[in-house]
Amino acid sequence: MQTPIYYPKAEFIETDTGNKVSRRATISGPQNIILGGKTIISNGAIIRGDLKRAGPGHAVVISLGRYCLVGEGCVMRPPYKTYRGTFNYYPMKIGDFVHIGANTVVEAATVGNHVEIGKNCVIGKFTIIKDCAKIADNTIIPPNTVIPALTLFSGSPGHFIEDLPESTQEVVEARTKSYYTRFQAVER
Amino acid sequence: MTPTVLYHCPCLSSDPIPPPPNAPSSSYQFHPLHELFFCEECDAVRCNRCVSVEVSGYYCPNCLFEVPSASVRAEKNRCARNCFMCPCCRNTLSVVPSDPSDADDGRLLTGGLGVVGEPPFFLYCNYCRWDSAEVDVTFEKPTGLAAQLQRFEDSAPDSLEFERLKEHFEPFLRASSSSGHPQATHSHPAHINPITAAASSALARDIPGVVKYTPAPRGRRDKGPRDELSEYRSRVEVAGTKDTSNVDFVRRLEEVSQVAALSQRWTSSWTTPLRSSDLRPSRIPLRSKKTKRCSTCRHILIKPEQKAQSVRFKIKLVAANYLPAMSIAFPSPDLARQRAAGSRQTAAEDTSGASGLQAGGTYPFQLALTNPLYDPIKVRLKAEPQVPPPSFTAPAGGSPEKAKRPPFVVRLPRPESEIPVAAFAEAWEYEDDEDMFGGDDDELGLERERGGGGGKGKGIGVIERRANVTVVGGEVVIGRDAKGSIKFNMLVSYTYRSDDPLADEEFTFYTVVDLGVIIPRVGVESITSD
């Protein structure tokens, strides 16, 4: 029943834990990025792991959980601010089963589990998205917004639209898992 | 468009048969499976429209603070911490100091956290750049702003008037609740709040024809303390002065944006100003977590955990755990192969039914049934015969006998034939994880070809069984002059093992299947319209 989504095998690098990272994605500072496993980074995505907190050594800048999808042309950039006179980047944490649609810019501080973010969205700096929330396509979330669990946000600026059904968690989990299994390599 | 299967909720209606799929009322009675609940006690499906809802807790959507219900009333259902809403765009405001050294950029960066700066402080919107200094709302210190703002709200004339009204009616309400109608309140638990009671009795008094809502014994009504109420005098006499100023304002109006939009006005707490320049910041309204009950038997269907941001539920009786899940797809093996040949990775959304449903064609489809129960079930399917669309939906050009012919015929396995679906087992969940789909998919591809290649009637029946999923083939034959969408009601009944070992129990429900829109044949179209 599940229609597979095929991709040429050479286009993606598959890691031991099942992450699939496109060769056409721009991954800066990979040593500062954690992928949870079975996460897909699509073509043209930009992940800025190089924008880390000032100071020596490694620091986790962006962490993504399991079964995530970073859509085509997405930009994942850690949030920054000047606090007490010093400019700094702050880490970004993204939970499990999170799908981010194509051409979306994410500068959130935290994104919970089972979150769906649509296409062409802008998620402002230091946004906190709680579990099972959903951001509709073309939504602009201004900086410092908090999005409560099980709510749908849409519009510009993004507003609360409705409560999501109680079974959202199961639905999103099944969908993200099936997306991963459908995403298959073909030899050419 | 992907084909959809929606499930029927009779919503306590006595008539369990849903309306025809093309009727406008149809869309209100069918829901996606994951939005439905299931009452075990009544053995029936419930939807959001037919459950009764209770508030189980309040929280602020911005600071996520769980507000105890005792303080909700005192704080007037709004957040009493530092959460404010922009009156222009409803975005959250941040507190900024009026530090002269801070440029515009600085404002954005200080955003609410640990503000150190010079007073006065004001509220600033990151999105539309509105700031509270525009309406002369500034603060000496950046803490306890909500209390300051609430004091301001409470001193509004409308609010004072309301307080007075409440005071005026309080003794009456207390007296009427103590003299009480216990049996009445018992039969209408949803309407016991004092304001409803007061309103209904006031209505009953003023308008002779209206029966008082609470079915109180007749004799008691005359003795009620209601007549002892003294006359209420408002604080200010309502005078017509306001209107002329509004007329003046409208006369000088230059831009539409000077008038506050309705959406901006009704979020405002007490005063709903006409001018957008008069709009004031308001505290963010609280939101609630809800408990849902079956409205017939009062059993709890949904009970959230106490913690506001938890997505777990203490009780969650959703239909997806009881009814078999159904999904429908058109097999399209050729298309998938073409796609693989293409170099770009593509979305799957447009693969299903991509070729379109041409009028006059026959299209096989696959219906996957997934069993959520721990026992095997047997499913029977019956597509409701396609009723010809009633005359008002018939195309104007079509002759009557043409409209009578059903636009399409759906072929499914015969209604008597039982389709077995194996039991759900957690083990399959793990297999899912462990990539069993590699091998499985080839098999799927083969099956698909067989289903697609088979001639008339060949692809009908069980195509594949794996884990707790059974795939059934069907086909739809579209008439030559058909138009509109292919939508039909389908009666689904399934038997499952019950507690009684001798007899199996059966549950029946309706679904509506939407396969997509028929593409009319252009040539035929032009001839008939002549």
Side-chain angles (χ1 to χ4, degrees):
Chain A
M1 283 305 287
Q2 300 175 326
T3 10
I5 305 161
Y6 292 115
Y7 65 88
K9 195 169 186 192
E11 206 161 278
F12 280 75
I13 304 164
E14 189 170 348
T15 67
D16 293 344
T17 47
N19 295 309
K20 295 182 176 181
V21 181
S22 167
R23 290 182 195 275
R24 296 195 209 182
T26 311
I27 314 285
S28 318
Q31 69 276 17
N32 301 329
I33 298 170
I34 295 178
L35 301 181
K38 307 205 173 182
T39 280
I40 302 167
I41 313 285
S42 308
N43 292 336
I46 299 171
I47 300 186
R48 296 296 302 271
D50 55 330
L51 305 177
K52 68 182 182 80
R53 207 175 241 279
H58 293 318
V60 178
V61 174
I62 294 176
S63 76
L64 284 132
R66 291 158 64 236
Y67 289 104
C68 289
L69 168 71
V70 178
E72 293 181 31
C74 273
V75 180
M76 312 276 289
R77 191 193 302 142
Y80 60 85
K81 69 177 170 189
T82 307
Y83 181 63
R84 296 193 192 272
T86 44
F87 176 88
N88 239 330
Y89 285 101
Y90 291 81
M92 175 195 284
K93 189 175 183 303
I94 291 175
D96 300 340
F97 311 105
V98 175
H99 269 202
I100 301 171
N103 300 317
T104 286
V105 178
V106 181
E107 295 189 276
T110 331
V111 176
N113 301 328
H114 306 96
V115 172
E116 288 174 277
I117 300 176
K119 292 181 280 191
N120 306 318
C121 294
V122 177
I123 310 297
K125 286 193 283 289
F126 296 104
T127 296
I128 295 170
I129 303 179
K130 302 303 263 186
D131 294 353
C132 299
K134 182 176 177 176
I135 317 285
D137 292 352
N138 311 314
T139 301
I140 310 294
I141 302 290
N144 302 315
T145 308
V146 178
I147 294 171
L150 287 165
T151 55
L152 169 66
F153 267 57
S154 173
S156 169
H159 283 159
F160 168 81
I161 302 293
E162 62 175 10
D163 284 318
L164 292 171
E166 288 76 8
S167 49
T168 304
Q169 184 174 345
E170 290 82 357
V171 173
V172 173
E173 194 165 319
R175 196 182 302 151
T176 49
K177 278 186 173 171
S178 98
Y179 188 91
Y180 182 80
T181 45
R182 282 158 61 204
F183 194 72
Q184 293 165 1
V186 280
E187 303 277 357
R188 289 226 285 155
Chain B
M1 199 192 87
T2 41
T4 55
V5 183
L6 298 179
Y7 289 64
H8 182 238
C9 172
C11 283
L12 315 174
S13 141
S14 52
D15 179 19
I17 297 162
N22 297 315
S25 57
S26 169
S27 59
Y28 297 99
Q29 296 195 15
F30 288 94
H31 313 266
L33 177 62
H34 65 266
E35 285 180 11
L36 292 173
F37 311 110
F38 193 87
C39 179
E40 279 192 325
E41 211 64 25
C42 307
D43 196 30
V45 172
R46 297 277 177 258
C47 71
N48 266 318
R49 288 204 184 84
C50 60
V51 290
S52 57
V53 177
E54 290 161 19
V55 171
S56 75
Y58 296 89
Y59 67 93
C60 166
N62 188 53
C63 62
L64 306 177
F65 182 85
E66 285 151 49
V67 186
S69 38
S71 47
V72 167
R73 196 185 255 206
E75 289 158 3
K76 304 237 164 72
N77 301 338
R78 283 166 190 263
C79 180
R81 279 139 296 279
N82 273 7
C83 304
F84 306 99
M85 198 165 66
C86 173
C88 292
C89 65
R90 291 193 280 155
N91 183 30
T92 315
L93 297 170
S94 37
V95 184
V96 293
S98 56
D99 228 53
S101 63
D102 264 354
D104 239 10
D105 196 35
R107 281 181 187 176
L108 282 168
L109 298 180
T110 33
L113 310 162
V115 207
V116 275
E118 284 175 24
F121 295 90
F122 54 93
L123 301 168
Y124 177 75
C125 175
N126 278 326
Y127 185 79
C128 68
R129 302 197 159 198
W130 179 89
D131 71 57
S132 65
E134 283 175 23
V135 292
D136 295 325
V137 177
T138 52
F139 306 93
E140 283 312 306
K141 49 183 174 37
T143 49
L145 303 187
Q148 295 180 50
L149 214 61
Q150 192 179 354
R151 213 173 304 139
F152 181 78
E153 281 168 24
D154 288 350
S155 64
D158 314 55
S159 165
L160 291 174
E161 191 73 64
F162 181 72
E163 287 302 322
R164 252 173 76 97
L165 264 171
K166 247 175 36 185
E167 256 169 53
H168 181 76
F169 284 113
E170 202 66 61
F172 163 66
L173 282 176
R174 215 175 300 122
S176 69
S177 65
S178 59
S179 75
H181 320 292
Q183 66 277 73
T185 52
H186 187 73
S187 64
H188 294 280
H191 299 281
I192 46 167
N193 94 59
I195 296 169
T196 329
S200 84
S201 65
L203 198 66
R205 184 187 57 208
D206 293 345
I207 304 161
V210 176
V211 184
K212 197 178 172 196
Y213 182 73
T214 34
R218 286 270 150 186
R220 195 183 272 171
R221 280 187 63 193
D222 303 325
K223 282 182 267 160
R226 148 174 49 84
D227 296 322
E228 293 153 27
L229 263 185
S230 56
E231 199 187 333
Y232 178 75
R233 271 179 212 291
S234 59
R235 281 176 69 249
V236 263
E237 287 306 313
V238 181
T241 50
K242 214 175 175 182
D243 290 339
T244 56
S245 74
N246 281 349
V247 168
D248 233 35
F249 164 67
V250 172
R251 233 177 238 149
R252 295 208 196 102
L253 204 63
E254 280 174 6
E255 279 174 67
V256 181
S257 60
Q258 285 178 288
V259 182
L262 209 53
S263 63
Q264 294 170 337
R265 292 174 66 180
W266 66 38
T267 50
S268 219
S269 52
W270 277 108
T271 42
T272 52
L274 182 66
R275 297 152 211 233
S276 53
S277 59
D278 286 350
L279 290 167
R280 291 177 177 280
S282 52
R283 297 177 293 134
I284 288 182
L286 300 178
R287 297 189 36 71
S288 60
K289 296 196 91 171
K290 288 149 201 130
T291 301
K292 292 177 180 170
R293 287 174 185 275
C294 171
S295 46
T296 7
C297 67
R298 310 286 302 151
H299 273 81
I300 296 180
L301 302 177
I302 295 288
K303 189 180 172 69
E305 274 193 356
Q306 201 54 48
K307 223 172 131 241
Q309 291 310 304
S310 163
V311 289
R312 287 205 299 256
F313 294 85
K314 282 183 193 149
I315 299 172
K316 182 158 106 175
L317 298 173
V318 289
N321 293 340
Y322 294 88
L323 308 186
M326 288 187 279
S327 65
I328 248 176
F330 289 102
S332 51
D334 303 339
L335 210 75
R337 229 139 272 165
Q338 278 169 23
R339 249 152 220 285
S343 64
R344 285 190 65 84
Q345 147 207 3
T346 38
E349 269 72 41
D350 43 335
T351 55
S352 45
S355 53
L357 300 162
Q358 305 268 351
T362 301
Y363 296 90
F365 60 82
Q366 295 180 340
L367 177 70
L369 298 157
T370 312
N371 181 9
L373 304 173
Y374 289 97
D375 292 312
I377 56 169
K378 284 178 187 142
V379 183
R380 282 176 291 135
L381 304 172
K382 183 173 173 257
E384 292 285 291
Q386 192 51 42
V387 241
S391 52
F392 58 86
T393 53
S399 55
E401 64 262 39
K402 202 170 269 172
K404 265 191 193 119
R405 209 185 313 149
F408 60 88
V409 177
V410 177
R411 295 211 187 109
L412 282 170
R414 286 194 302 173
E416 310 86 74
S417 64
E418 290 188 325
I419 302 154
V421 188
F424 170 78
E426 247 116 48
W428 286 317
E429 288 270 282
Y430 298 116
E431 274 177 59
D432 252 25
D433 270 1
E434 298 316 320
D435 242 9
M436 71 170 203
F437 277 76
D440 189 68
D441 235 89
D442 290 25
E443 194 188 317
L444 207 71
L446 276 175
E447 293 289 358
R448 204 179 282 127
E449 263 168 63
R450 207 198 301 158
K456 246 186 201 174
K458 246 190 152 184
I460 297 173
V462 175
I463 293 180
E464 189 198 344
R465 290 184 65 186
R466 77 179 129 85
N468 59 338
V469 182
T470 298
V471 181
V472 174
E475 65 179 18
V476 56
V477 183
I478 307 171
R480 295 177 67 83
D481 309 320
K483 47 177 87 174
S485 58
I486 303 186
K487 234 174 150 182
F488 59 94
N489 286 349
M490 184 166 71
L491 180 70
V492 182
S493 34
Y494 67 95
T495 48
Y496 57 98
R497 209 169 57 206
S498 63
D499 302 330
D500 178 12
L502 294 173
D504 280 1
E505 268 185 70
E506 190 181 58
F507 188 81
T508 304
F509 58 96
Y510 275 95
T511 56
V512 65
V513 180
D514 187 356
L515 290 176
V517 179
I518 303 168
I519 300 169
R521 303 212 306 186
V522 185
V524 176
E525 191 72 3
S526 59
I527 294 161
T528 46
S529 63
D530 275 348

